[in-house]
Tab-separated table of all heavy atoms in Angstrom:
chain	number	residue	atom	x	y	z
A	1	LYS	N	-3.742	-1.625	-5.967
A	1	LYS	CA	-3.903	-2.315	-7.243
A	1	LYS	C	-5.048	-1.696	-8.050
A	1	LYS	O	-4.924	-1.472	-9.249
A	1	LYS	CB	-4.184	-3.800	-7.015
A	1	LYS	CG	-4.308	-4.596	-8.308
A	1	LYS	CD	-4.653	-6.038	-8.055
A	1	LYS	CE	-3.426	-6.783	-7.633
A	1	LYS	NZ	-3.645	-8.245	-7.542
A	2	GLN	N	-6.163	-1.389	-7.393
A	2	GLN	CA	-7.300	-0.772	-8.074
A	2	GLN	C	-6.946	0.613	-8.604
A	2	GLN	O	-7.370	0.988	-9.703
A	2	GLN	CB	-8.506	-0.687	-7.143
A	2	GLN	CG	-9.111	-2.025	-6.830
A	2	GLN	CD	-10.158	-1.968	-5.729
A	2	GLN	OE1	-10.297	-0.968	-5.029
A	2	GLN	NE2	-10.880	-3.062	-5.554
A	3	CYS	N	-6.172	1.367	-7.865
A	3	CYS	CA	-5.776	2.711	-8.295
A	3	CYS	C	-4.848	2.659	-9.501
A	3	CYS	O	-4.749	3.635	-10.247
A	3	CYS	CB	-5.108	3.463	-7.153
A	3	CYS	SG	-6.234	3.888	-5.807
A	4	GLN	N	-4.172	1.556	-9.713
A	4	GLN	CA	-3.268	1.405	-10.845
A	4	GLN	C	-4.016	1.351	-12.174
A	4	GLN	O	-3.399	1.433	-13.232
A	4	GLN	CB	-2.416	0.139	-10.687
A	4	GLN	CG	-1.357	0.261	-9.637
A	4	GLN	CD	-0.338	1.332	-9.979
A	4	GLN	OE1	0.234	1.356	-11.065
A	4	GLN	NE2	-0.111	2.230	-9.055
A	5	LEU	N	-5.327	1.237	-12.138
A	5	LEU	CA	-6.118	1.208	-13.371
A	5	LEU	C	-6.011	2.521	-14.130
A	5	LEU	O	-6.251	2.570	-15.331
A	5	LEU	CB	-7.579	0.889	-13.048
A	5	LEU	CG	-7.816	-0.487	-12.411
A	5	LEU	CD1	-9.292	-0.659	-12.069
A	5	LEU	CD2	-7.327	-1.600	-13.319
A	6	ASP	N	-5.660	3.604	-13.426
A	6	ASP	CA	-5.446	4.900	-14.066
A	6	ASP	C	-3.982	5.274	-13.879
A	6	ASP	O	-3.622	5.932	-12.910
A	6	ASP	CB	-6.353	5.970	-13.442
A	6	ASP	CG	-6.229	7.314	-14.137
A	6	ASP	OD1	-5.387	7.442	-15.058
A	6	ASP	OD2	-6.968	8.233	-13.761
A	7	PRO	N	-3.114	4.854	-14.816
A	7	PRO	CA	-1.682	5.085	-14.653
A	7	PRO	C	-1.287	6.561	-14.668
A	7	PRO	O	-0.192	6.913	-14.256
A	7	PRO	CB	-1.055	4.322	-15.824
A	7	PRO	CG	-2.140	4.147	-16.809
A	7	PRO	CD	-3.432	4.148	-16.043
A	8	ALA	N	-2.173	7.442	-15.136
A	8	ALA	CA	-1.873	8.872	-15.152
A	8	ALA	C	-2.040	9.502	-13.775
A	8	ALA	O	-1.646	10.641	-13.560
A	8	ALA	CB	-2.774	9.579	-16.163
A	9	LEU	N	-2.625	8.769	-12.848
A	9	LEU	CA	-2.903	9.286	-11.517
A	9	LEU	C	-1.811	8.833	-10.544
A	9	LEU	O	-1.763	7.670	-10.160
A	9	LEU	CB	-4.276	8.774	-11.048
A	9	LEU	CG	-4.861	9.358	-9.784
A	9	LEU	CD1	-5.172	10.842	-9.975
A	9	LEU	CD2	-6.144	8.624	-9.434
A	10	PRO	N	-0.903	9.747	-10.151
A	10	PRO	CA	0.116	9.337	-9.173
A	10	PRO	C	-0.530	9.005	-7.831
A	10	PRO	O	-1.550	9.578	-7.463
A	10	PRO	CB	1.025	10.559	-9.059
A	10	PRO	CG	0.364	11.659	-9.773
A	10	PRO	CD	-0.793	11.122	-10.540
A	11	ILE	N	0.078	8.072	-7.107
A	11	ILE	CA	-0.485	7.604	-5.839
A	11	ILE	C	0.535	7.821	-4.737
A	11	ILE	O	1.713	7.475	-4.892
A	11	ILE	CB	-0.837	6.109	-5.908
A	11	ILE	CG1	-1.783	5.827	-7.075
A	11	ILE	CG2	-1.444	5.640	-4.594
A	11	ILE	CD1	-1.918	4.359	-7.402
A	12	LEU	N	0.067	8.372	-3.629
A	12	LEU	CA	0.876	8.466	-2.423
A	12	LEU	C	0.153	7.699	-1.333
A	12	LEU	O	-1.057	7.851	-1.163
A	12	LEU	CB	1.061	9.924	-1.989
A	12	LEU	CG	1.806	10.118	-0.664
A	12	LEU	CD1	3.260	9.656	-0.778
A	12	LEU	CD2	1.740	11.564	-0.217
A	13	VAL	N	0.893	6.870	-0.609
A	13	VAL	CA	0.326	6.088	0.479
A	13	VAL	C	0.878	6.614	1.796
A	13	VAL	O	2.093	6.706	1.968
A	13	VAL	CB	0.672	4.587	0.346
A	13	VAL	CG1	0.026	3.785	1.471
A	13	VAL	CG2	0.259	4.050	-1.019
A	14	LEU	N	-0.021	6.969	2.717
A	14	LEU	CA	0.353	7.319	4.084
A	14	LEU	C	-0.012	6.112	4.933
A	14	LEU	O	-1.188	5.808	5.110
A	14	LEU	CB	-0.384	8.576	4.548
A	14	LEU	CG	-0.108	9.835	3.728
A	14	LEU	CD1	-0.953	10.996	4.243
A	14	LEU	CD2	1.374	10.205	3.753
A	15	MET	N	0.989	5.400	5.428
A	15	MET	CA	0.810	4.068	6.010
A	15	MET	C	1.190	4.017	7.489
A	15	MET	O	2.330	4.319	7.849
A	15	MET	CB	1.685	3.076	5.231
A	15	MET	CG	1.625	1.642	5.689
A	15	MET	SD	0.283	0.708	4.962
A	15	MET	CE	0.825	0.565	3.261
A	16	ASP	N	0.224	3.616	8.325
A	16	ASP	CA	0.507	3.325	9.725
A	16	ASP	C	1.299	2.014	9.783
A	16	ASP	O	1.334	1.257	8.806
A	16	ASP	CB	-0.816	3.207	10.488
A	16	ASP	CG	-0.650	3.052	11.994
A	16	ASP	OD1	0.417	3.403	12.531
A	16	ASP	OD2	-1.598	2.576	12.642
A	17	ILE	N	1.900	1.725	10.921
A	17	ILE	CA	2.644	0.471	11.063
A	17	ILE	C	1.813	-0.594	11.760
A	17	ILE	O	1.658	-1.702	11.252
A	17	ILE	CB	3.969	0.690	11.828
A	17	ILE	CG1	4.915	1.539	10.991
A	17	ILE	CG2	4.620	-0.651	12.154
A	17	ILE	CD1	6.225	1.866	11.671
A	18	GLU	N	1.263	-0.271	12.916
A	18	GLU	CA	0.576	-1.275	13.739
A	18	GLU	C	-0.898	-1.374	13.349
A	18	GLU	O	-1.691	-0.490	13.661
A	18	GLU	CB	0.699	-0.907	15.219
A	18	GLU	CG	2.123	-0.916	15.711
A	18	GLU	CD	2.242	-0.454	17.139
A	18	GLU	OE1	1.442	0.397	17.573
A	18	GLU	OE2	3.153	-0.958	17.832
A	19	MET	N	-1.231	-2.472	12.653
A	19	MET	CA	-2.608	-2.705	12.218
A	19	MET	C	-2.899	-4.198	12.232
A	19	MET	O	-1.985	-5.013	12.178
A	19	MET	CB	-2.825	-2.142	10.807
A	19	MET	CG	-2.667	-0.646	10.702
A	19	MET	SD	-2.866	-0.030	9.023
A	19	MET	CE	-1.368	-0.607	8.248
A	20	GLN	N	-4.169	-4.552	12.269
A	20	GLN	CA	-4.600	-5.952	12.239
A	20	GLN	C	-4.418	-6.519	10.829
A	20	GLN	O	-4.183	-5.767	9.883
A	20	GLN	CB	-6.068	-6.068	12.663
A	20	GLN	CG	-6.333	-5.614	14.075
A	20	GLN	CD	-5.648	-6.496	15.097
A	20	GLN	OE1	-5.657	-7.712	14.972
A	20	GLN	NE2	-5.059	-5.887	16.106
A	21	ARG	N	-4.580	-7.796	10.692
A	21	ARG	CA	-4.450	-8.556	9.448
A	21	ARG	C	-3.073	-8.422	8.814
A	21	ARG	O	-2.355	-9.400	8.705
A	21	ARG	CB	-5.538	-8.212	8.435
A	21	ARG	CG	-6.878	-8.768	8.790
A	21	ARG	CD	-7.826	-8.851	7.632
A	21	ARG	NE	-7.936	-7.624	6.859
A	21	ARG	CZ	-8.389	-7.593	5.611
A	21	ARG	NH1	-8.765	-8.686	5.016
A	21	ARG	NH2	-8.484	-6.446	4.967
A	22	MET	N	-2.699	-7.229	8.375
A	22	MET	CA	-1.382	-7.013	7.789
A	22	MET	C	-0.859	-5.669	8.262
A	22	MET	O	-1.521	-4.653	8.089
A	22	MET	CB	-1.453	-7.028	6.260
A	22	MET	CG	-0.102	-6.756	5.597
A	22	MET	SD	-0.170	-6.732	3.803
A	22	MET	CE	-0.216	-8.487	3.464
A	23	ASP	N	0.331	-5.683	8.857
A	23	ASP	CA	0.884	-4.432	9.362
A	23	ASP	C	1.445	-3.589	8.216
A	23	ASP	O	1.578	-4.056	7.079
A	23	ASP	CB	1.940	-4.684	10.448
A	23	ASP	CG	3.205	-5.325	9.906
A	23	ASP	OD1	3.877	-4.722	9.040
A	23	ASP	OD2	3.546	-6.428	10.361
A	24	GLY	N	1.756	-2.356	8.520
A	24	GLY	CA	2.194	-1.410	7.503
A	24	GLY	C	3.528	-1.723	6.874
A	24	GLY	O	3.742	-1.427	5.694
A	25	LEU	N	4.441	-2.318	7.627
A	25	LEU	CA	5.741	-2.665	7.042
A	25	LEU	C	5.597	-3.784	6.024
A	25	LEU	O	6.184	-3.726	4.934
A	25	LEU	CB	6.744	-3.036	8.133
A	25	LEU	CG	7.100	-1.909	9.108
A	25	LEU	CD1	8.061	-2.414	10.168
A	25	LEU	CD2	7.664	-0.703	8.378
A	26	ALA	N	4.801	-4.804	6.340
A	26	ALA	CA	4.564	-5.905	5.399
A	26	ALA	C	3.857	-5.385	4.149
A	26	ALA	O	4.218	-5.748	3.021
A	26	ALA	CB	3.746	-7.007	6.061
A	27	ALA	N	2.866	-4.525	4.339
A	27	ALA	CA	2.134	-3.966	3.196
A	27	ALA	C	3.047	-3.099	2.333
A	27	ALA	O	2.992	-3.167	1.100
A	27	ALA	CB	0.934	-3.159	3.686
A	28	THR	N	3.891	-2.317	2.979
A	28	THR	CA	4.833	-1.486	2.226
A	28	THR	C	5.766	-2.356	1.391
A	28	THR	O	5.981	-2.083	0.201
A	28	THR	CB	5.647	-0.590	3.182
A	28	THR	OG1	4.741	0.284	3.874
A	28	THR	CG2	6.688	0.236	2.438
A	29	ARG	N	6.303	-3.413	1.991
A	29	ARG	CA	7.186	-4.333	1.243
A	29	ARG	C	6.471	-4.887	0.012
A	29	ARG	O	7.046	-4.940	-1.079
A	29	ARG	CB	7.644	-5.487	2.133
A	29	ARG	CG	8.862	-5.185	2.966
A	29	ARG	CD	9.440	-6.426	3.621
A	29	ARG	NE	8.567	-6.994	4.637
A	29	ARG	CZ	8.460	-6.548	5.878
A	29	ARG	NH1	9.169	-5.519	6.271
A	29	ARG	NH2	7.652	-7.131	6.731
A	30	GLU	N	5.222	-5.314	0.182
A	30	GLU	CA	4.487	-5.916	-0.933
A	30	GLU	C	4.144	-4.894	-2.016
A	30	GLU	O	4.246	-5.186	-3.207
A	30	GLU	CB	3.228	-6.616	-0.423
A	30	GLU	CG	3.565	-7.867	0.354
A	30	GLU	CD	2.406	-8.831	0.469
A	30	GLU	OE1	1.544	-8.863	-0.441
A	30	GLU	OE2	2.365	-9.558	1.473
A	31	ILE	N	3.728	-3.709	-1.608
A	31	ILE	CA	3.399	-2.673	-2.596
A	31	ILE	C	4.634	-2.296	-3.399
A	31	ILE	O	4.604	-2.247	-4.630
A	31	ILE	CB	2.773	-1.441	-1.915
A	31	ILE	CG1	1.356	-1.763	-1.410
A	31	ILE	CG2	2.735	-0.245	-2.874
A	31	ILE	CD1	0.740	-0.682	-0.535
A	32	VAL	N	5.744	-2.041	-2.719
A	32	VAL	CA	6.969	-1.618	-3.403
A	32	VAL	C	7.544	-2.750	-4.268
A	32	VAL	O	8.072	-2.502	-5.348
A	32	VAL	CB	8.001	-1.091	-2.382
A	32	VAL	CG1	9.354	-0.834	-3.033
A	32	VAL	CG2	7.476	0.179	-1.719
A	33	ALA	N	7.399	-3.991	-3.821
A	33	ALA	CA	7.873	-5.118	-4.639
A	33	ALA	C	7.073	-5.223	-5.938
A	33	ALA	O	7.639	-5.485	-6.996
A	33	ALA	CB	7.776	-6.422	-3.845
A	34	ALA	N	5.771	-5.012	-5.856
A	34	ALA	CA	4.912	-5.112	-7.039
A	34	ALA	C	4.958	-3.856	-7.904
A	34	ALA	O	4.799	-3.933	-9.125
A	34	ALA	CB	3.471	-5.402	-6.618
């Protein structure tokens, strides 16, 4: 969300799956939905 402040800057996310608090699949779903 913070990186979206500069729309000219493309963003690539390299996401692990198994993590505490929120796993990578849940985070991917939320990022792509938004």
Side-chain angles (χ1 to χ4, degrees):
K1 182 183 281 188
Q2 290 170 348
C3 291
Q4 287 297 308
L5 297 177
D6 184 356
L9 189 65
I11 304 167
L12 175 66
V13 182
L14 299 177
M15 180 86 70
D16 186 20
I17 293 178
E18 297 176 328
M19 296 178 288
Q20 298 295 317
R21 287 200 310 160
M22 178 181 282
D23 69 61
L25 296 178
T28 298
R29 275 191 293 280
E30 290 200 29
I31 289 171
V32 172

